[in-house]
Amino acid sequence: MRIGELAARAGTTTRTLRYYESRGLLPARRNGNGYRTYDEGDLKLLRQIRTLQDFGFDLEETRPFVECLRAGHPEGDSCPASLAVYRRKLGELDALIGELQAVRAQVGEQLDRAERARDELAAEAMLSGGPGGPDPECELGGRTR
């Protein structure tokens, strides 16, 4: 198949395919008249790359999977180098999850602090003048309640 058909079947653009070719991820075969030619194996390579990128892998991280497929393995993740990339990515994801959990805890603490401060202000307002006064203005405009 030619580059346009491959791009359409893979759900990408010819520009992307040329970029992958320049990075050595997609073979650069040409027929007698100079047109790029591709086969079903190339489509499988592209699907592997796209799936990994959807999972958050950068393009270079897909290389071991592509090389595994090119070596004739039925799946791109059946080679030791691919498994190493999976392990490294899981470590990165675990670290990010830990960072996000820490940020979430800080935001939760800030919310608790802000709600306590709001409640204290409301209690002071009740003691000093009772209900019936206007609600305090929010810094961003509008009433707080």
Side-chain angles (χ1 to χ4, degrees):
M1 75 187 91
R2 300 218 345 232
I3 193 168
E5 181 183 351
L6 179 63
R9 289 184 64 192
T12 191
T13 65
T14 57
R15 181 177 178 185
T16 298
L17 299 183
R18 287 187 201 101
Y19 178 69
Y20 291 170
E21 182 182 309
S22 74
R23 298 291 305 268
L25 293 169
L26 192 62
R29 294 183 304 270
R30 297 195 181 255
N31 62 15
N33 61 6
Y35 290 120
R36 290 174 173 88
T37 60
Y38 302 96
D39 59 24
E40 293 298 319
D42 298 321
L43 182 59
K44 189 172 185 174
L45 290 176
L46 287 173
R47 287 184 175 149
Q48 178 78 79
I49 291 168
R50 304 271 303 180
T51 297
L52 292 168
Q53 287 189 307
D54 288 347
F55 290 159
F57 288 66
D58 66 37
L59 191 57
E60 195 56 36
E61 288 174 317
T62 69
R63 188 172 300 280
F65 298 85
V66 169
E67 290 171 355
C68 189
L69 286 170
R70 280 191 186 160
H73 294 272
E75 300 297 328
D77 59 5
S78 60
C79 295
S82 302
L83 299 175
V85 173
Y86 275 152
R87 284 186 199 96
R88 188 169 51 252
K89 182 57 81 175
L90 281 175
E92 290 172 13
L93 291 170
D94 288 341
L96 287 172
I97 289 168
E99 291 172 20
L100 288 172
Q101 287 173 331
V103 169
R104 186 190 187 291
Q106 290 175 338
V107 170
E109 290 169 8
Q110 285 296 103
L111 175 61
D112 290 344
R113 182 204 51 78
E115 288 176 335
R116 280 192 310 276
R118 180 206 56 203
D119 294 345
E120 289 171 11
L121 284 173
E124 288 174 14
M126 292 290 285
L127 291 176
S128 64
D135 288 337
E137 289 285 327
C138 178
E139 292 175 7
L140 299 176
R143 303 272 176 205
T144 58
R145 295 183 207 168

